[in-house]
Each structure stands twice: as C-alpha cells, then as structure tokens.
Amino acid sequence: MNADAKSPGTAIGHARPTVYRHFHRIAWLAVALALGVIVFGAFVRLSNAGLSCPDWPTCYGRASWPTAVSQGVADHAATAIRPVEIHKAWREQLHRMIAGGLGVLVLVLALLAARRRPHGVLQVAAAAVLVALAIPLYMRGMHVAASALAIAGEAILLFAALRWSNIDLARTAVLTLAVIIFQALLGMWTVTWLLKPIVVMGHLLGGLTTFALLAWMAWRATHSPIRLADALLLRRWVVVVLVLLAAQIALGGWTSANYAALACANDFPKCVGQWWPPHDFREGFVLWRGIGVDYEGGVLDGASRIAIQMAHRMMAVVAFTALVALALRLLRTPGLRGWAVLLALLACTQVALGIANVKLSLPLDVAVAHNAGAVLLLFVLVSLLARLRAID
C-alpha cells in the first residue's frame, strides 16, 4: 500500500512510523540541542545580552564575535546602534550558532522523512535553498526580496505538510522545519526591532513549539507506546493541561519581555503590600506598539507591569492546579506512577523557582532554571501525549 493511502489518524494512532533506521537517534540529538538552545537563549535574554550584536546574522560584521573593540569593528555600521560589549556579544552570537546547528539537524530530519515521497527531497531542498539565498540579500539591505524568498520557502514546506500523511513522520518533520525557519526570522526581528515584546514572546513560544514537535517526533520514531484501556481519556486530560501550560508559558514570556518580573518588588504573595494593587490590564496587554522603539529595560509604567505580573501569578495557580490534578490521576494508573511523581515534582519546583525569582530579585541562575523548568514540564506532557495508546 502506498504510504499516502494510509490516513494520518492510522499513523498517529496505531501504526509504527516507517522511518530511516537512525532517524530516532538524530531526532533525540535534536531534542537535546533544542533544550540547550532554549536554556542558553534564556541566559542570553536574562543577562541583557539580547541586543549585544545589533546586526544579523553577523556580529559587528564578523561571523563569530569581536574579542576586542579594535578588531575591525570600530567603523562597522552596527557600532552606530550600540557600542561593542565583548562580555555580552559572545553570548548572543554563540546562541545564534547553536540555533543554526539545530536548524541543520531539523533539515536532515526533513530530508530523511521526505525521501520516499514523490519529489519530497527536491521540495525540502528547494525550500532550504530559497531561505539560504534570502540571508545574503537581507545583509545587503534587500529586505523585500529576502522576505519574498523566505516566504516562498515556507510556503513550499507548508504545502507539503498539508499534502503528506504522517506514516513516515514526513508531515511533522517538514512542519518542524517550517517552524524553525520562522523561528530564525523571529530571532532576526528580535534584534532588528529592538526587543519588541510581542516578537520576544513569539521567539520563546517558537522555540518551545520546535522542542515539542521534535520530542513528539523522537518518541514516535522510537516507538515506545504505553498501551492503556483508558488512553483516550488520559490523552484528553493531557491536552487540556498542555493548553493551560502553554498559556502560562506565554504569560511568562510576556512578563519577561516587558521586564515585569519584579513589578511587585520582592513582595509575595501580596504585590507592593496589597492583595489587589493599582493596575492597568488594558495598557499592559497591548500587543503591538509600533517599530523603532528600543524596548530594552521596558517602556511600560508601574501599573501596567503590575497587571502583567498579577496575570502571570493568577494563571500560575490555574496551571499548577491542573498539573497536580493530572499527576494524581496518573498516580492511580498502573505503569504511570513514575510519570506522575516526576510531573508533580517538576510542578512544585517550578512554583518554588517562580517565588524565589521574586523574593531574591531575579537572580540569573534561578531565572534560567525557571525557564528550564517550563521546558521540562512541556517535555513530560508531550511525551505522555506521544506515547499513550489505546489497547488494540
């Protein structure tokens, strides 16, 4: 039977994906690298190094980064935007390099998954070439032409994802490649649009979406199902909790992007000494404020930042309750008790890290660990979603 003749539901529900024999190993390597990219990206952002390379994809015109102010960067156009800070520049450019390595791995996965599709390799390769050609055009200031090429490459991948089934993980692989290309664009806009909050939050969510897709794909390629009679009901539980966690992560990203983590000072559970302090939700959640403003350090007033912080705290209660409820449900299911304990421990640790961020004035190591905790919670939920299967 032709692979496309099988329905996507068959591939996702019961059949083992027909993939290249080392596909799962490459996928797990990509998962590990994606985790590193996200955590290191949090370190870059939280150490205020997000604009330390004002140009993209180079850093003050260099493929690596300047190790001295006098290393041929003094006359580069980027110095007119921001003076060279050697101790920060390496962080931003190294993060870009690691992300580039992840992009190569995802491209390899897409090519391997598409190799048995009619013209599959050609389509993936063509999309990659178009995106690659867009980079030098962008560097030369030809932004419209560069955008057109990038959009064309994305369109090829999305069209392929819509047409193909997932029996060989081709749909997920090319969709992941499309997401990571858009993620690269968000990384570029993060710099060129001067840490615009909606872009910074989108960049975080894009990274986590890439991680989730890779984790799901790795589990499916590994083919290690957990078969239960009530798997369908449990999967619905997991989906609901996953949506709530995603909402909380988005709020956390919005809090960080608007520098609202310490809007309540070091006060917890109260905020500036009150249970319901003066706030401005309308101003705090304006998503688009135009281009050309430098958002480093934040531009919102105290009431707006308090609104963001309060929303993050309230959603944390909802997400934590849902996570613990799911953990209790898993605890009553034979074969899932280890997952239940892990989920509960991660949820409690994440809450403790969030409180420590406030009480200790956002220390860098705690803040980065808080980001890592969100990724690990996401991994547990995606793993359960990928592995839970009904008994045949």
Side-chain angles (χ1 to χ4, degrees), residues 49-300:
L51 290 181
S52 55
C53 293
D55 49 330
W56 185 94
T58 56
C59 185
Y60 290 96
R62 299 174 63 90
S64 57
W65 54 83
T67 56
V69 176
S70 60
Q71 278 191 337
V73 299
D75 59 346
H76 193 271
T79 58
I81 302 173
R82 183 173 297 267
V84 180
E85 294 180 274
I86 305 300
H87 65 290
K88 290 184 179 181
W90 73 267
R91 304 174 189 179
E92 171 64 11
Q93 193 65 356
L94 181 59
H95 177 245
R96 294 177 184 176
M97 291 178 177
I98 301 172
L102 176 61
V104 172
L105 275 183
V106 173
L107 174 60
V108 170
L109 288 170
L111 289 170
L112 288 174
R115 75 192 193 285
R116 293 180 180 173
R117 302 295 175 132
H119 309 297
V121 170
L122 178 61
Q123 291 177 68
V124 173
V129 168
L130 288 173
V131 173
L133 291 175
I135 296 174
L137 291 180
Y138 175 84
M139 294 174 66
R140 294 173 185 172
M142 303 169 66
H143 296 171
V144 175
S147 298
L149 287 179
I151 291 171
E154 287 281 73
I156 291 173
L157 295 174
L158 292 175
F159 182 68
L162 289 173
R163 288 177 53 246
W164 295 345
S165 72
N166 214 40
I167 189 65
D168 50 4
L169 298 178
R171 174 179 292 172
T172 306
V174 297
L175 182 60
T176 305
L177 181 59
V179 170
I180 207 167
I181 290 172
F182 187 65
Q183 178 70 351
L185 293 174
L186 287 172
M188 176 190 70
W189 294 330
T190 296
V191 174
T192 57
W193 289 356
L194 306 176
L195 300 181
K196 190 173 181 61
I198 188 65
V199 177
V200 173
M201 183 183 71
H203 193 47
L204 170 66
L205 294 178
L208 291 171
T209 300
T210 301
F211 176 81
L213 287 169
L214 287 170
W216 188 90
M217 192 160 46
W219 277 121
R220 290 290 295 136
T222 304
H223 192 67
S224 179
I226 300 174
R227 299 200 179 275
L228 298 169
D230 60 346
L232 182 58
L233 178 61
L234 277 177
R235 283 171 60 86
R236 289 172 180 168
W237 271 69
V238 173
V239 169
V240 171
V241 177
L242 186 58
V243 170
L244 293 174
L245 178 65
Q248 174 62 0
I249 289 173
L251 277 171
W254 190 246
T255 301
S256 178
N258 285 282
Y259 299 84
L262 295 178
C264 296
N266 301 111
D267 204 0
F268 184 89
K270 292 183 178 181
C271 180
V272 292
Q274 302 177 55
W275 288 109
W276 196 245
H279 54 272
D280 188 348
F281 281 96
R282 176 175 296 181
E283 187 66 19
F285 287 90
V286 174
L287 298 181
W288 187 265
R289 296 180 181 276
I291 300 173
V293 178
D294 188 343
Y295 291 94
E296 188 172 23
V299 298
L300 299 180

Side-chain angles (χ1 to χ4, degrees), residues 38-50 92 195 200-201 203-204 252-253 256-257 259 296 364 367 371:
I38 293 170
V39 174
F40 191 71
F43 167 72
V44 172
R45 183 179 72 255
L46 293 165
S47 61
N48 296 317
E92 171 64 11
L195 300 181
V200 173
M201 183 183 71
H203 193 47
L204 170 66
S256 178
Y259 299 84
E296 188 172 23
L364 182 60
N371 279 262

